[in-house]
Amino acid sequence: MTKDMVEEIVKRYPYIIRAVKEGRDAAVFSIGNRKMRIAVGEETKAVCSIIEEIREREKDRYILKMIEGLKRGESDVAIIQKVAWERNAYYERKKRFIEKIYKCCIGRHMVAYEDILAEEIQ
């Protein structure tokens, strides 16, 4: 599991969770005119459960609105209009949300040591 994979799961969450509920092994959907396929394995299901656990523990109402918007597959612009943040603040919080999911994946031993070393320091 890499941070890019976590970000892709968050980005395509509605399609993935639908596939999980239907018991399929992959989420197949179209974005624009391109057909996309994301495998739904145990790691993907674990990331979905981590997102739910974070949502259940979060107290800030705007963070909850952001998470719910991401879960519904809303665009960033639509979510920004619902929260009391400027554009930069939204993207910073979204980045921290994805990092928190990634840290939870590390805590569950879903991230290889080599993947952590391969990440760039910014």
Side-chain angles (χ1 to χ4, degrees), residues 66 75-78 80 85-98:
M66 179 189 72
S75 70
D76 289 338
V77 174
I80 290 169
W85 305 322
E86 294 293 326
R87 185 173 171 263
N88 291 342
Y90 166 77
Y91 285 112
E92 181 61 33
R93 285 174 176 89
K94 182 179 176 184
K95 178 182 169 187
R96 282 193 259 156
F97 174 62
I98 290 170

Side-chain angles (χ1 to χ4, degrees), residues 104-116:
C104 290
C105 291
I106 292 171
R108 289 189 176 184
H109 306 290
M110 296 167 48
V111 180
Y113 183 72
E114 292 77 27
D115 291 338
I116 296 170

Side-chain angles (χ1 to χ4, degrees), residues 1-6 43 102 105-106 109-121:
M1 181 66 55
T2 64
K3 194 178 286 188
D4 290 337
M5 292 168 69
V6 169
E43 286 187 340
Y102 188 65
C105 291
I106 292 171
H109 306 290
M110 296 167 48
V111 180
Y113 183 72
E114 292 77 27
D115 291 338
I116 296 170
L117 287 177
E119 280 190 32
E120 292 182 22
I121 300 173

Side-chain angles (χ1 to χ4, degrees), residues 1-69:
M1 181 66 55
T2 64
K3 194 178 286 188
D4 290 337
M5 292 168 69
V6 169
E7 193 168 345
E8 186 68 20
I9 292 169
V10 170
K11 188 175 182 181
R12 307 296 181 208
Y13 185 85
Y15 304 109
I16 293 169
I17 203 68
R18 187 178 311 128
V20 169
K21 288 179 181 176
E22 293 173 359
R24 292 185 283 147
D25 62 344
V28 180
F29 51 93
S30 295
I31 301 293
N33 289 330
R34 293 183 9 220
K35 192 171 186 178
M36 298 184 73
R37 182 181 192 280
I38 297 176
V40 179
E42 291 304 315
E43 286 187 340
T44 304
K45 292 176 185 176
V47 171
C48 291
S49 71
I50 288 169
I51 291 170
E52 282 301 314
E53 289 173 16
I54 291 171
R55 186 192 60 77
E56 290 170 3
R57 293 177 186 233
E58 188 55 51
K59 293 175 180 62
D60 185 284
R61 68 182 180 146
Y62 293 117
I63 298 288
L64 287 170
K65 283 184 180 185
M66 179 189 72
I67 294 170
E68 289 301 322

